[in-house]
C-alpha cells in the first residue's frame, strides 16, 4: 500500500506539470499511467511534430516538451507507475483508496485526474487464446528488448511501431514480420529497411496474412496465419507481438461516481475540483465554459488544482502564496542552493 499526498492519473503534459506544481509547494505525488512511457498524447501520437504554442518556447516537439517537463520534475524524485491503469476509486475514511488493474493500492487525500482522452489501450489480436497468453507469449508493447534475445518472434502490423521493432529485434532474434496488406503504412525509410533486411536474409516478411489461431498448452508454441481467401499456414514461434495501434477509451473513469458531460468531467474553475471533494480533473479530460483543449490550459489548471490539494493534504497548515524567484522553500525543494 502506497501513501501519498496526491495520486496523479495520467503522465501527459498536464499530469507532469501537476507533479511540478505539487512539488514546489511541498506535496508528494505518485503518477499512474496506462501507457508504457511518459508523455501522453505528445509522445504517443506526435513525438516528432512541432508545437508552436507553448509559452516562451517558440518551437518544440512532443518528445522534447516531454523531456523538458520530466527534467523540471526531476528534483521531486517522483515514482511513475507505467503500464498500469487506475481501475477503482473508493472512499477510505478521510482518504481515497485507489486500486490499479495490477492490484496496486494507493491511499491519498487527493486525486488529480489528468487522463486526457482516456486511457490508451492497444488494439488486440482478435483470436481465442490471445487473452490466455497475454504477457506470456502474446505482447503489445516491449518493456525490455533483451527479453526477446535469440527468440523466434512473429511481429504483426504495418505501421511504424511494427516496422521499427522488426528492424531492431532482427539484430538479435529470428523475426517474421506479418501484415494483412502487401504495402506497409510506416515511413518510407523503415519500409525500405525491412525490405532490404529481408533480401539480406535477416528477417522474413509474410504478406498479406492475418492471424488465424494461437496454439499451445501452458506456453504458446505456434500460430496459424491466413490470407483473405482462407489459405492458412502454420508457424512455430516463441512469441507474437501485435502493433495494431491504440484505441482511446474513457475506461474505468465512468464508474467512479463523477459527474460527466459526454466524455468529459465538469469542474469548478476556482480549483478544478470535480463533484467529489479531493478529486480534481485537469487537462483535456476536464470541461468548463470556454475550455480550450491546449497544453497551456492544462498547465494553468494544474497550478490551481495543486494549491487546492495542499488545503486538503495539510489541513492544519496555512497555504502561503510565494514566487519561485524569491521563495527559499521552493528553491530548496528544487535543489537550488542560493545564498
Ligand atoms: C496530432 C496532435 C497535435 C496536437 N498539437 C498540439 C499543439 O500544437 N498545441 C497544443 O497545445 N496542443 C496540441 N495537441 C493537444 C495536446 O496534445 C493535448 O491537449 C494534451 O496532450 C492534453 O494533455 P493531458 O495531460 O490532459 O492528456 P494526455 O496527453 O491525453 O495524457 C493523458 C494520459 O492519461 C492516461 N490515462 C487515462 N486514463 C487512465 C487511467 N484510468 N489509468 C492510467 N492512466 C490513464 C493516458 O494513458 C494518457 O497517457 C495536439 C494533439 C494531437 C492529437
Amino acid at each position: 500500500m502506497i501513501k501519498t499526498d496526491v495520486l496523479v492519473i495520467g503522465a501527459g503534459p498536464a499530469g507532469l506539470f501537476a507533479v511540478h506544481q505539487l512539488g514546489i509547494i511541498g506535496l508528494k505525488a505518485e503518477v499512474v499511467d496506462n501507457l508504457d512511457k511518459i508523455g501522453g498524447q505528445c509522445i504517443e501520437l506526435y513525438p516528432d511534430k512541432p508545437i508552436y504554442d507553448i509559452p516562451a518556447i517558440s518551437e518544440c516537439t512532443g518528445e522534447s516538451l516531454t523531456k523538458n517537463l520530466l527534467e523540471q520534475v526531476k528534483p521531486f524524485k517522483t515514482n511513475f507507475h507505467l503500464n498500469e491503469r487506475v481501475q477503482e476509486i473508493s472512499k477510505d475514511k478521510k482518504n481515497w483508496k485507489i486500486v490499479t488493474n495490477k492490484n496496486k493500492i494507493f491511499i491519498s487525500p487527493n486525486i488529480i485526474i489528468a487522463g486526457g482522452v482516456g486511457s490508451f489501450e492497444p488494439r488486440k489480436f482478435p483470436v481465442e487464446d490471445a487473452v490466455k497468453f497475454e504477457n506470456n507469449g502474446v505482447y503489445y508493447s516491449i518493456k525490455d528488448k533483451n527479453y526477446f534475445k535469440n527468440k523466434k518472434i512473429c511481429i504483426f502490423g504495418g505501421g511504424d511501431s511494427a516496422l521499427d521493432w522488426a528492424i531492431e529485434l532482427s539484430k538479435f532474434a529470428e523475426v517474421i514480420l506479418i501484415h494483412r496488406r502487401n504495402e506497409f503504412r510506416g515511413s518510407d525509410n523503415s519500409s525500405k529497411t525491412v525490405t532490404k533486411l529481408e533480401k539480406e536474409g535477416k528477417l522474413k516478411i509474410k504478406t498479406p496474412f492475418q492471424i488465424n489461431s494461437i496454439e499451445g498448452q501452458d506456453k504458446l508454441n505456434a500460430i496459424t496465419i491466413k490470407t483473405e481467401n482462407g489459405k492458412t499456414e502454420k508457424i512455430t514461434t516463441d512469441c507474437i507481438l501485435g502493433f495494431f495501434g491504440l484505441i482511446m477509451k474513457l475506461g474505468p473513469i465512468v464508474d467512479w461516481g463523477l459527474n460527466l458531460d459526454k466524455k468529459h468531467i465538469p469542474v469548478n474553475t476556482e480549483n478544478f475540483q470535480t463533484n467529489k471533494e479531493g478529486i480534481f480533473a485537469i487537462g483535456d479530460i476536464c470541461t468548463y465554459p470556454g475550455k480550450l483543449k491546449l497544453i497551456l490550459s492544462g498547465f494553468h489548471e494544474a497550478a490551481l488544482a495543486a494549491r487546492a490539494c495542499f488545503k486538503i493534504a495539510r489541513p492544519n497548515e496555512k497555504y502561503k502564496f510565494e514566487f519561485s524567484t524569491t521563495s527559499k522553500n521552493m528553491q530548496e525543494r528544487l535543489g537550488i542552493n542560493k545564498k
Side-chain angles (χ1 to χ4, degrees):
M1 195 188 282
I2 302 169
K3 286 192 176 173
T4 185
D5 291 320
V6 184
L7 190 276
V8 178
I9 303 173
L16 286 175
F17 196 63
V19 170
H20 179 269
Q21 290 296 293
L22 293 162
I24 59 169
I25 59 171
L27 295 187
K28 167 116 185 64
E30 299 274 331
V31 185
V32 181
D33 200 299
N34 204 37
L35 284 177
D36 58 351
K37 44 188 149 349
I38 294 170
Q41 290 174 53
C42 297
I43 214 74
E44 194 59 49
L45 302 181
Y46 59 99
D48 302 325
K49 180 192 154 296
I51 308 175
Y52 301 106
D53 54 359
I54 302 298
I57 300 176
S58 34
E59 184 181 337
C60 63
T61 61
E63 188 175 12
S64 67
L65 177 73
T66 304
K67 272 194 186 150
N68 284 337
L69 284 166
L70 264 174
E71 186 61 34
Q72 209 174 11
V73 301
K74 226 181 190 173
F76 310 118
K77 299 186 174 62
T78 309
N79 295 320
F80 288 90
H81 306 264
L82 300 178
N83 275 313
E84 229 163 316
R85 191 178 54 225
V86 171
Q87 203 65 25
E88 287 168 32
I89 288 181
S90 56
K91 198 78 193 166
D92 181 58
K93 296 180 193 133
K94 285 191 170 173
N95 288 308
W96 291 102
K97 180 179 170 193
I98 302 106
V99 186
T100 71
N101 60 336
K102 294 193 179 156
N103 280 326
K104 203 176 276 170
I105 299 175
F106 297 87
I107 297 290
S108 174
N110 294 293
I111 299 170
I112 294 183
I113 304 175
V117 279
S119 57
F120 292 97
E121 314 248 339
R123 254 177 245 280
K124 303 207 170 170
F125 287 106
V127 290
E128 229 182 288
D129 285 347
V131 176
K132 177 175 146 195
F133 290 114
E134 198 166 321
N135 297 321
N136 181 27
V138 175
Y139 304 93
Y140 299 100
S141 66
I142 294 182
K143 278 179 233 155
D144 176 12
K145 64 179 180 184
N146 294 319
Y147 172 79
F148 297 97
K149 241 178 206 160
N150 303 322
K151 288 202 164 66
K152 188 166 178 190
I153 307 161
C154 292
I155 297 180
F156 285 82
D160 280 320
S161 300
L163 300 186
D164 293 349
W165 278 119
I167 296 166
E168 184 58 26
L169 297 182
S170 68
K171 292 175 188 161
F172 48 75
E174 197 182 325
V175 172
I176 305 177
L177 177 63
I178 302 164
H179 183 41
R180 66 194 167 101
R181 299 192 201 289
N182 286 321
E183 306 76 35
F184 294 111
R185 272 184 301 107
S187 73
D188 248 18
N189 202 13
S190 302
S191 302
K192 280 183 189 146
T193 309
V194 289
T195 313
K196 182 172 162 273
L197 289 172
E198 189 197 25
K199 279 192 186 133
E200 292 167 359
K202 293 187 176 145
L203 59 74
K204 285 184 187 150
I205 297 176
K206 286 196 177 287
T207 59
F209 277 102
Q210 294 187 55
I211 193 145
N212 182 54
S213 68
I214 296 177
E215 297 176 9
Q217 288 299 323
D218 302 330
K219 204 177 155 289
L220 181 155
N221 53 38
I223 56 168
T224 61
I225 53 174
K226 65 172 180 198
T227 58
E228 238 172 40
N229 47 25
K231 186 187 134 201
T232 61
E233 198 176 304
K234 183 170 175 167
I235 305 174
T236 55
T237 186
D238 296 315
C239 46
I240 59 173
L241 285 158
F243 293 108
F244 307 119
L246 297 163
I247 29 176
M248 292 165 208
K249 281 188 184 171
L250 201 48
I253 293 173
V254 291
D255 302 321
W256 298 342
L258 298 168
N259 287 344
L260 289 175
D261 178 0
K262 297 189 185 110
K263 289 182 173 177
H264 300 95
I265 306 173
V267 286
N268 169 0
T269 49
E270 204 176 301
N271 53 13
F272 292 88
Q273 190 161 256
T274 64
N275 60 310
K276 303 243 176 210
E277 199 195 351
I279 303 188
F280 303 84
I282 61 170
D284 277 12
I285 202 150
C286 76
T287 185
Y288 51 87
K291 164 75 185 171
L292 280 179
K293 280 196 181 186
L294 284 176
I295 295 165
L296 62 85
S297 319
F299 291 166
H300 161 78
E301 294 153 10
L304 266 71
R307 270 68 183 180
C309 288
F310 185 93
K311 292 182 186 152
I312 298 177
R314 307 271 187 275
N316 302 323
E317 289 175 38
K318 196 166 165 16
Y319 168 73
K320 193 170 144 244
F321 175 81
E322 291 177 305
F323 288 123
S324 64
T325 41
T326 45
S327 163
K328 288 267 176 295
N329 284 336
M330 285 185 181
Q331 289 170 12
E332 226 167 74
R333 289 174 194 129
L334 288 165
I336 297 158
N337 298 316
K338 280 194 185 141
K339 288 200 176 151

